[in-house]
Amino acid sequence: MTEKPWIKHYEPGVPHEIDADSHASVWQMSAAAIAKHGDAPAFSNFGADLSFNDIDRLSRNLAAYLQTELGLKKGDRVAIMSPNIMAFPITLFANMRAGLVQVNVNPLYTPRELQHQLNDADTDTIVIFSGSTPVLAEIIGETKVKNVIVADLGDCGNGALPSPPADERLSGVVKFTDALAAGESLDFTPVDISGEDLLFLQYTGGTTGLSKGAVLTHRNLVANIMQISVFQGDRIREGEEVVITAIPLYHIFALMVNCLTYFTKGGRCVLITNPRDMPGFVEELSRTKFSIITGVNTLFNGLLHTPGFAELDFSALSLAAGGGTAIQEAISNKWYEVTGHHITEGYGLSETSPVVTFNIAGRDQFSATIGVPMPSTDVSLRDNDGNEVAQGEPGELCVKGPQVMTGYWRKPEETAAVTTADGYFRTGDVAILTEEGSFKIVDRKKDMILVSGFNVYPNEIEGVIANMDGVMEAACIGVPDAQTDEAVKMFVVKTPNAEVSAEDVIAYCRENLTAYKVPKQIAFIDELPKSPVGKILRRELRD
């Protein structure tokens, strides 16, 4: 697409392009923030704080340990398998300044998933939360891992917090705090880092069922930090933002937006270790006058249904940013009633560092779109033959920009499969371009349901059901049907004590949806299967 029709909808002062080469590395940007903000708090967890200077000192000590004691050199991979605790950002900045490549690992992985990722990334070093060590112990003999550094909940913060012991089947493990202490007396050799150097291997679902690593460089992340910064402009108040981080940092959304972007702006990142404990989460929020919160639809919905949330002080709140999955209008409207702000939706993927598009914040109505592309980003909607579709027609969302990965780690065929002939990344998401110049996700191509030849998009049906009284959340899938090829099956979670029948749900859908979109089957369940980030797992419903 040569013309970018969304540009005219940018706010005054937002540049159309950014210079992704204006900073040599993310570490260079981070070091500037450390020099500027010094003793101000950078991270908080369980009531304890680490300042920018603390992060500088501790990450330097860990980097020295990794370099000198473990012999790691620029380009080596270091896995981190941890929830949101202080050890995560310390490890992040240590890897970054030593030129190491961070492999972000879900701490809830099964042994099979962990073994695949460690072997695929070709890593021999892992920083791991003590509670995840039994999974590592199961498969360590089938990997090249020889260096295991074990972190506890209270490390570098509230030392009174108890953590489970490291699995006794693991030998030669080093405590995270011991590695820091040893590194303090060791030399650290600064490393020259360029934009082309690798920063993250960000693993994502594979077409073969095995995850694959999106290769993200320093330039990719520098670009995305700058894109968000210039797009938000004066809305980001240097040195003042308090950012609630409930999305796990191993997820690219929290890692890039909450952690890196706001770190470079002197913000304080409040790490929520277990957001599934909603009462505990709300109690944590009650102690913090926060200005930014990011999440997925299910997280915002969960907070709205948690006693005490509506009584919190929202006077400092300036942005609730949603991503990962579609934000439902019903949830945003309820959020607005409680907090005075709508949820501002954006869109991105692991392969795009992640932010591709974002809405202009502060609107007094829900946009129901993913917004406009970031500066220096081109989005093209393509049909199955690779041709651009007409405005208003659905097509696969394809992206080109400096934040797009260089490819999948050691998988040239997989990389080629998601790259168009003219160099766009094919996302697998179906979208339309609205008359207002914003993009709207219709659904994932693979989740689309085909009813009598008509395309049915689960997001639309789920969004309708979310408005029904007595329904807390719902998800739908396609199931085989002799008459229509596929039919819609809806899984519904009721709000507590609600009396809702299958007939009620179907009747509500008939009022609000064309006949072929109305679910044929309704199943009531206690909870929907979700990823650790809170995405509803339709594939598990299909299974």
Side-chain angles (χ1 to χ4, degrees):
M1 184 180 289
T2 51
E3 183 189 350
K4 296 182 178 180
W6 52 84
I7 290 283
K8 60 178 178 282
H9 300 285
Y10 276 13
E11 290 184 298
V14 175
H16 299 177
E17 306 289 332
I18 56 103
D19 180 6
D21 300 306
S22 60
H23 299 84
S25 67
V26 181
W27 174 245
Q28 186 186 73
M29 300 178 85
S30 304
I34 290 166
K36 187 169 186 178
H37 298 286
D39 290 327
F43 293 92
S44 301
N45 186 223
F46 292 115
D49 294 333
L50 288 179
S51 70
F52 286 82
N53 284 336
D54 290 333
I55 291 293
D56 185 34
R57 173 177 54 84
L58 295 168
S59 66
R60 179 257 167 232
N61 293 347
L62 181 60
Y65 180 83
L66 296 173
Q67 265 188 352
T68 308
E69 190 67 28
L70 301 188
L72 300 184
K73 59 191 185 304
K74 179 180 172 180
D76 286 346
R77 272 76 59 203
V78 175
I80 179 163
M81 185 175 185
S82 168
N84 290 358
I85 58 178
M86 292 299 202
F88 200 113
I90 295 167
T91 304
L92 165 67
F93 289 103
N95 287 334
M96 195 189 295
R97 69 195 298 168
L100 300 168
V101 182
Q102 180 158 304
V103 182
N104 296 301
V105 183
N106 181 341
L108 299 180
Y109 261 175
T110 63
R112 179 193 67 86
E113 291 165 325
L114 178 60
Q115 180 182 334
H116 163 70
Q117 190 163 328
L118 291 175
N119 285 337
D120 189 73
D122 195 17
T123 182
D124 63 7
T125 301
I126 185 169
V127 178
I128 184 168
F129 169 55
S130 60
S132 296
T133 53
V135 178
L136 178 62
E138 288 283 324
I139 52 89
I140 192 167
E142 307 301 317
T143 72
K144 294 180 181 176
V145 172
K146 59 181 189 237
N147 306 313
V148 180
I149 301 172
V150 176
D152 290 340
L153 286 177
D155 288 353
C156 308
N158 186 344
L161 290 168
S163 273
D167 194 291
E168 57 190 20
R169 291 172 291 174
L170 295 171
S171 60
V173 301
V174 175
K175 288 179 69 69
F176 187 76
T177 48
D178 290 345
L180 292 175
E184 193 170 0
S185 60
L186 296 173
D187 289 335
F188 169 67
T189 306
V191 176
D192 285 332
I193 307 167
S194 77
E196 303 311 311
D197 288 324
L198 274 55
L199 178 52
F200 297 135
L201 289 187
Q202 193 68 33
Y203 276 76
T204 183
T207 52
T208 60
L210 292 172
S211 62
K212 51 193 184 288
V215 175
L216 301 180
T217 64
H218 278 265
R219 187 176 189 269
N220 290 148
L221 276 298
V222 165
N224 215 214
I225 291 169
M226 292 185 66
Q227 287 167 327
I228 294 166
S229 299
V230 300
F231 189 81
Q232 288 294 86
D234 293 341
R235 284 199 177 88
I236 300 179
R237 297 162 300 184
E238 179 96 18
E240 295 180 31
E241 304 295 1
V242 178
V243 187
I244 300 298
T245 305
I247 297 177
L249 286 173
Y250 66 79
H251 190 278
I252 192 66
F253 182 9
L255 187 59
M256 225 301 298
V257 179
N258 297 51
C259 181
L260 292 178
T261 300
Y262 282 100
F263 187 89
T264 65
K265 297 294 182 183
R268 175 160 71 97
C269 188
V270 180
L271 300 176
I272 306 297
T273 304
N274 181 19
R276 293 188 176 206
D277 170 16
M278 282 285 171
F281 186 5
V282 169
E283 189 179 332
E284 186 72 30
L285 292 177
S286 72
R287 294 194 288 266
T288 310
K289 201 163 182 184
F290 59 97
S291 59
I292 314 280
I293 183 169
T294 64
V296 294
N297 192 72
T298 53
L299 182 116
F300 292 121
N301 191 28
L303 285 172
L304 288 167
H305 283 89
T306 302
F309 178 73
E311 286 72 57
L312 294 178
D313 178 0
F314 299 107
S315 61
L317 182 64
S318 61
L319 176 65
T325 54
I327 298 295
Q328 293 170 341
E329 185 168 8
I331 305 302
S332 186
N333 289 341
K334 288 175 193 167
W335 187 268
Y336 182 77
E337 287 171 22
V338 172
T339 71
H341 292 265
H342 274 288
I343 300 167
T344 304
E345 193 171 0
Y347 170 81
L349 309 95
S350 297
E351 291 93 338
T352 58
S353 300
V355 183
V356 174
T357 68
F358 200 61
N359 270 283
I360 293 166
R363 299 264 171 95
D364 58 3
Q365 60 187 34
F366 181 62
S367 82
T369 74
I370 54 169
V372 296
M374 294 284 100
S376 291
T377 305
D378 196 7
V379 170
S380 174
L381 302 182
R382 309 278 176 102
D383 63 20
N384 289 335
D385 296 321
N387 303 309
E388 285 205 333
V389 299
Q391 183 157 350
E393 293 293 315
E396 182 176 9
L397 194 151
C398 302
V399 187
K400 188 184 279 189
Q403 73 272 51
V404 177
M405 66 171 184
T406 59
Y408 291 118
W409 175 250
R410 296 176 176 171
K411 287 183 169 55
E413 300 85 3
E414 296 252 15
T415 303
V418 296
T419 308
T420 66
D422 53 348
Y424 285 76
F425 168 66
R426 297 172 52 189
T427 67
D429 285 311
V430 179
I432 59 172
L433 178 61
T434 69
E435 289 182 8
E436 294 76 32
S438 293
F439 286 88
K440 182 179 175 68
I441 294 289
V442 183
D443 227 311
R444 291 290 294 171
K445 281 177 78 171
K446 63 187 178 189
D447 287 333
M448 191 177 72
I449 304 166
L450 205 62
V451 179
S452 300
F454 291 101
N455 293 346
V456 177
Y457 297 103
N459 278 354
E460 180 189 7
I461 303 170
E462 292 162 6
V464 165
I465 295 275
N467 287 292
M468 183 177 174
D469 289 339
V471 171
M472 185 164 171
E473 53 186 10
C476 67
I477 60 168
V479 292
D481 186 274
Q483 292 176 305
T484 59
D485 291 330
E486 282 190 297
V488 178
K489 180 174 182 176
M490 176 70 68
F491 295 83
V492 177
V493 179
K494 301 178 192 178
T495 51
N497 304 317
E499 294 188 9
V500 179
S501 67
E503 291 75 21
D504 294 335
V505 174
I506 289 171
Y508 185 85
C509 288
R510 283 203 179 112
E511 287 177 26
N512 293 281
L513 292 164
T514 309
Y516 68 85
K517 299 177 184 177
V518 174
K520 270 197 177 180
Q521 301 177 30
I522 307 295
F524 292 101
I525 56 178
D526 292 333
E527 62 177 337
L528 296 174
K530 298 185 183 91
S531 74
V533 182
K535 285 186 183 181
I536 292 167
L537 300 174
R538 290 185 187 135
R539 68 173 183 272
E540 289 197 12
L541 294 173
R542 284 193 286 268
D543 293 341

